[in-house]
Structures are given as C-alpha cells and as structure tokens.
Amino acid sequence: MNRPRNNQFLEPERGSGMIGWAMKQLAMWLVGGFIVYSLVVNHQLFSGSGQENPAQPASVHPVASAQWSARAPSETGALVTNSLTLQARPDGYAWVDAAVNGVPMNMAFDTGASYVSLTEADAQRAGVSGNLNYSIPIWTANGSNPGAPVVLREVRIGQLTIENVNAIVQRNLAHSLLGQTFLNRLQSFHMERGVLTLSWQ
C-alpha cells in the first residue's frame, strides 16, 4: 500500500529526478532570500521614515509687543548698542510698562509730545504732586491744557533707565505719555509702519 506524498516539492525525487529537485530547491531559496533582502533594505521606504531630516513645519511667532536686543561691542571697545522695538496698538500708541521714580505704570509713547506728561493720579503715585504750578501752555486737539513742570528722578523701561527727566503734570489727561524730553535722551528713535524702535548705549 502506497502512502500519498503530501510534500512532493520539498521531498527529493528518487533516481534521475534528484538533480531536478535540487535545482528547484536552490531556485526557491534564492528567490525567497532576494525577497527578504529587498524587504529589509527598503523597510524605511515602506514605513515612510526614509528621510534623514524630515521637514518640520515652519514656526509662526506673533509680533511681540516689546522686543529687546543688544549689539555686541566692536573690537575697538565701543559701547554696546541696545534697542527696544514696540508694536503700536490700534489706537496708534506704542504702550509700555514703565516705572517712574520706582512706581510701575503703563505709559504710551507720543513722538509728537514735547514733554513726558503725567496724569495727576500718576504724579501723586510718583511723589511729584506737591506745589504744582500749571504755568506751561500746552495746546491739544481739545484745546488748551496747561502743564505743571516737574523733574522725575528716573524713568525706567526694562533695561533702560533715564535719570532727571523733565516732565509736566496735566489735568484731564487720559493717560501718561512719554514724549520728547525722554526720547531725546536716547541715541535714536523712529516710528515706521506702526513699529517704534528705540536705541541707546
């Protein structure tokens, strides 16, 4: 009784078929090995990670309301030039957190104002509200609003400190302003397309 041969391809044939069976086995292993090699070599291609440095999405940074920078001194020993960039708000003013005589207050730059101007409330907080003489005529779009002259011990904005700043206190002033008596003490300043840049040493 003959048993059925279930694995005829894998079992060698007797007699003259032995060489043919060996050739089939060799061919099968060569083809299988080539397929395995191809899969290993091209694994990164199939997995989608073949790039050594995959592209990263560009970072989006909103325009900061205040940006500080400093230029390194030259070999000749020149002083370091610092700068502050401020983005104007929709009301047209470039606002900044300042400190007057050590008292924090939010102020607006006004390149068209001749003086640093304080509201009466801010002047009181800064300790310069005594014996005021409203003798300096100041004309605004709303008419005359005279100012009382004062001298501020210091006006500080972050890394920038200006001492002995001439200023005025005004009645009915909506908010305190940083005008030319502060700006003229800097190395330079300019407003362009809603961006105010201050530079000093």
Side-chain angles (χ1 to χ4, degrees), residues 5-171:
R5 299 180 67 184
N6 296 327
N7 299 312
Q8 295 180 2
F9 184 78
L10 297 176
E11 294 180 4
E13 298 180 6
R14 293 180 174 83
S16 61
M18 187 69 177
I19 296 176
W21 174 85
M23 295 300 294
K24 290 179 183 179
Q25 290 293 312
L26 180 61
M28 181 185 71
W29 285 108
L30 286 174
V31 171
F34 178 77
I35 292 173
V36 172
Y37 173 80
S38 299
L39 290 174
V40 171
V41 170
N42 296 292
H43 171 70
Q44 290 184 332
L45 180 63
F46 288 110
S47 64
S49 59
Q51 294 181 347
E52 293 182 2
N53 296 304
Q56 298 294 328
S59 298
V60 178
H61 299 284
V63 176
S65 59
Q67 295 179 340
W68 296 89
S69 65
R71 188 183 308 159
S74 65
E75 294 180 357
T76 59
L79 295 176
V80 174
T81 297
N82 302 279
S83 66
L84 169 63
T85 301
L86 296 161
Q87 178 72 50
R89 295 182 184 177
D91 60 8
Y93 287 109
W95 291 82
V96 69
D97 290 327
V100 176
N101 292 351
V103 178
M105 58 185 67
N106 193 241
M107 305 181 74
F109 279 98
D110 187 350
T111 58
S114 299
Y115 295 88
V116 171
S117 301
L118 298 182
T119 65
E120 289 185 309
D122 283 346
Q124 185 174 8
R125 293 172 56 218
V128 292
S129 60
N131 301 319
L132 296 179
N133 180 16
Y134 292 88
S135 58
I136 299 179
I138 301 293
W139 293 91
T140 68
N142 297 323
S144 177
N145 185 14
V150 294
V151 177
L152 306 177
R153 184 179 72 254
E154 68 170 23
V155 177
R156 178 169 48 83
I157 301 172
Q159 306 165 12
L160 170 62
T161 300
I162 304 294
E163 298 179 343
N164 299 320
V165 179
N166 292 324
I168 58 173
V169 179
Q170 288 184 270
R171 299 188 180 104

